[in-house]
């Protein structure tokens, strides 16, 4: 949950994040880093040649890993909320 704190001199709103958001981002980043690319590479098919194809492959791999990590993070947070 996002809470508004105060405005600074330039009119920007400073935000503080709850622990749930922090946990979500920690699980998300850990999942992106720890999910092996070899598990997902069987699914990814990218056309093109050379550097363009590798750029597309890397970006697609990153998006898939981020989506899987987000789903895992949401599931973990839902379980933690129900246990409390």
């Amino acid at each position: 949950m996002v809470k508004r704190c105060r405005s600074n001199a330039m009119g920007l709103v400073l935000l503080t994040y709850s622990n749930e958001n922090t946990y979500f981002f920690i699980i998300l980043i850990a999942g992106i880093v720890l999910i092996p690319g070899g598990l997902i590479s069987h699914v990814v098919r990218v056309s093109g040649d050379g550097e363009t194809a590798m750029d597309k492959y890397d970006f697609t791999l990153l998006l898939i890993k981020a989506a899987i990590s987000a789903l895992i993070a949401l599931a973990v947070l839902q379980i933690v909320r129900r246990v409390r």
Side-chain angles (χ1 to χ4, degrees):
M1 298 188 165
V2 178
K3 301 175 185 175
R4 295 181 187 268
C5 286
R6 60 181 173 87
S7 296
N8 62 10
M10 302 200 46
L12 300 174
V13 176
L14 301 176
L15 302 173
T16 58
Y17 294 94
S18 69
N19 285 340
E20 289 181 355
N21 290 339
T22 305
Y23 296 145
F24 176 81
F25 286 115
I26 289 171
I27 295 170
L28 181 72
I29 299 300
I32 290 172
V33 172
L34 296 176
I35 293 175
L39 289 176
I40 302 168
S41 65
H42 305 308
V43 180
V44 177
R45 301 281 184 245
V46 178
S47 62
D49 56 323
E51 190 172 339
T52 304
M54 286 308 294
D55 289 343
K56 288 180 186 178
Y57 174 79
D58 290 339
F59 185 69
T60 305
L61 194 66
L62 181 65
L63 286 178
I64 292 171
K65 288 170 77 171
I68 292 170
S69 298
L71 290 173
I72 291 170
L74 288 173
V76 168
L77 288 178
Q78 287 297 326
I79 292 169
V80 168
R81 285 181 193 151
R82 291 182 186 192
V83 169
R84 286 188 197 176

